[in-house]
């Protein structure tokens, strides 16, 4: 058995640890967009595979028997490529799919389908917006320069930001309710824009928005073709054991 673990999420690091502890041979793959990726207990490769065909070639060349897609829920291109390449190379595939966040009592969420729709959902009158969506997805908001934008990044941005007058704070999750409450209050935030990533690490901003009665523009997850999924590391290990017994 030889596993390719597609990383880029908190869960991917947990899966890598479990594979290493179980003595399962595997390679951890990063897209290469973060300058300081987290170290892993598996050999690491970095960079794209070159689309579906490139990934299918890699799977055959490296004799990968199982692919675990533990990319971020919004990394839809990679997930689609994994489905198609595994089908081509006849490699078993499972995706670690964390549950999306669900609105609860006291939440004021407006669901939108993508980033462009989130821009449209922002008011016309000047607002103070916490834009917690990552630095690569900011440019569509430039059409609404009347707003103040508060951005949170893992690393400082070397490239110029597409949003003039935006303020950047640095931080790597998990974030706390106390911390995010203080952040939103101190900047007088009136709207929160969030991707529905799910998980615990970035949830505090939604709890803070609820506490402060702020509207949240929630970008729903991209739609993906049907695939086998797991919600825990244990489930993935069971799948590997089961699949190994069957020689899949
Ligand atoms: P994407 O749009 O789905 O992928 C774009 C291309 O990047 C893919 O076609 C693939 O290139 C390459 N790629 C993506 N993940 C890869 C991986 N783990 N290993 C090797 N190549 C990979 O992905 P994205 O939204 O740009 O995200 C890039 C990475 O950042 C992902 O690993 C994701 O988990 C992580 N991330 C994304 C978000 C988000 O909001 N999108 C948030 C946090 C972390 P080829 O076609 O050349 O193979």
């Amino acid at each position: 058995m030889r596993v390719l673990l597609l990383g880029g999420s908190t869960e991917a690091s947990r899966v890598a640890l479990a594979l290493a502890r179980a003595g399962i041979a595997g390679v951890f793959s990063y897209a290469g967009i973060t300058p300081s990726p987290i170290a892993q207990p598996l050999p690491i490769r970095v960079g794209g595979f070159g689309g579906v065909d490139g990934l299918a070639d890699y799977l055959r060349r490296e004799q990968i028997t199982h692919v675990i897609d533990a990319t971020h829920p919004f990394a839809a291109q990679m997930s689609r490529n994994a489905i198609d390449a595994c089908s081509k190379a006849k490699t078993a595939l499972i995706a670690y799919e964390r549950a999306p966040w669900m609105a609860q009592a006291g939440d004021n969420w407006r669901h939108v389908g993508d980033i462009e729709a989130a821009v449209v959902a922002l008011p016309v009158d000047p607002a103070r917006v916490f834009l917690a969506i990552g630095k690569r997805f900011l440019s569509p908001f430039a059409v609404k320069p009347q707003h103040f934008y508060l951005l949170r990044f893992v690393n400082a941005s070397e490239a110029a930001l597409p949003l003039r007058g935006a303020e950047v704070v640095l931080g790597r999750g998990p974030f706390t309710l106390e911390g995010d409450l203080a952040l939103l209050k101190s900047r007088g935030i009136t709207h929160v824009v969030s991707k529905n990533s799910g998980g615990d690490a970035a949830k505090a901003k939604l709890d803070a928005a609820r506490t402060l009665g702020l509207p949240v523009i929630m970008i729903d997850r991209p739609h993906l073709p049907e695939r086998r999924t797991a919600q825990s590391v244990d489930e993935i290990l069971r799948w590997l054991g089961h699949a190994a017994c069957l020689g899949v």
Side-chain angles (χ1 to χ4, degrees):
M1 179 188 295
R2 187 161 149 76
V3 173
L4 172 65
L5 174 54
L6 299 171
S9 66
T10 324
E11 288 77 11
S13 300
R14 288 192 207 134
V15 175
L17 191 59
L19 293 181
R21 282 190 178 148
I24 296 171
V27 180
F28 190 108
S29 178
Y30 275 122
I33 50 168
T34 313
S36 54
I38 299 170
Q40 298 295 340
L42 296 176
I44 289 178
R45 67 161 300 286
V46 180
F49 297 93
V52 174
D53 289 340
L55 178 55
D57 287 346
Y58 177 90
L59 297 177
R60 292 189 197 104
R61 196 172 61 243
E62 296 294 324
Q63 300 185 330
I64 301 293
T65 55
H66 299 77
V67 174
I68 301 169
D69 178 358
T71 55
H72 187 273
F74 279 78
Q77 188 60 54
M78 186 69 251
S79 292
R80 287 192 189 106
N81 289 358
I83 293 169
D84 292 345
C86 285
S87 159
K88 274 191 158 193
K90 300 195 175 16
T91 307
L93 168 71
I94 198 164
Y96 194 135
E97 213 172 78
R98 48 166 112 134
W101 292 315
M102 306 289 281
Q104 50 180 273
D107 279 329
N108 173 9
W109 289 10
R110 171 149 175 212
H111 291 271
V112 294
D114 55 27
I115 292 199
E116 284 68 26
V119 176
V120 172
L122 281 175
V124 173
D125 292 338
R128 297 183 66 81
V129 183
F130 183 35
L131 202 46
I133 58 167
K135 71 177 76 155
R136 292 180 300 137
F137 308 96
L138 301 173
S139 47
F141 291 89
V143 301
K144 289 204 167 162
Q146 66 269 45
H147 302 316
F148 162 79
Y149 293 102
L150 175 64
L151 314 173
R152 179 158 62 196
F153 299 154
V154 175
N155 302 106
S157 185
E158 286 176 9
L161 291 175
L163 302 176
R164 268 186 298 120
E167 180 186 348
V168 175
V169 291
L170 297 182
R172 197 190 277 265
F175 301 104
T176 64
L177 173 59
E178 295 69 31
D180 277 5
L181 263 179
L183 181 67
L184 299 192
K185 276 190 197 166
S186 66
R187 303 314 196 275
I189 294 300
T190 59
H191 294 73
V192 173
V193 177
S194 170
K195 289 177 173 172
N196 198 337
S197 303
D200 295 331
K203 186 174 147 290
K205 59 179 177 280
L206 303 175
D207 297 334
R210 185 183 317 113
T211 306
L212 298 171
L214 301 181
V216 174
I217 296 166
M218 183 60 77
I219 305 170
D220 290 330
R221 293 178 177 190
H223 181 71
L224 289 172
E226 204 163 313
R227 57 191 179 159
R228 185 194 289 258
T229 59
Q231 276 74 43
S232 70
V233 174
D234 282 352
E235 219 179 308
I236 288 177
L237 287 181
R238 275 202 300 278
W239 173 74
L240 287 172
H242 181 65
C245 292
L246 292 176
V248 175

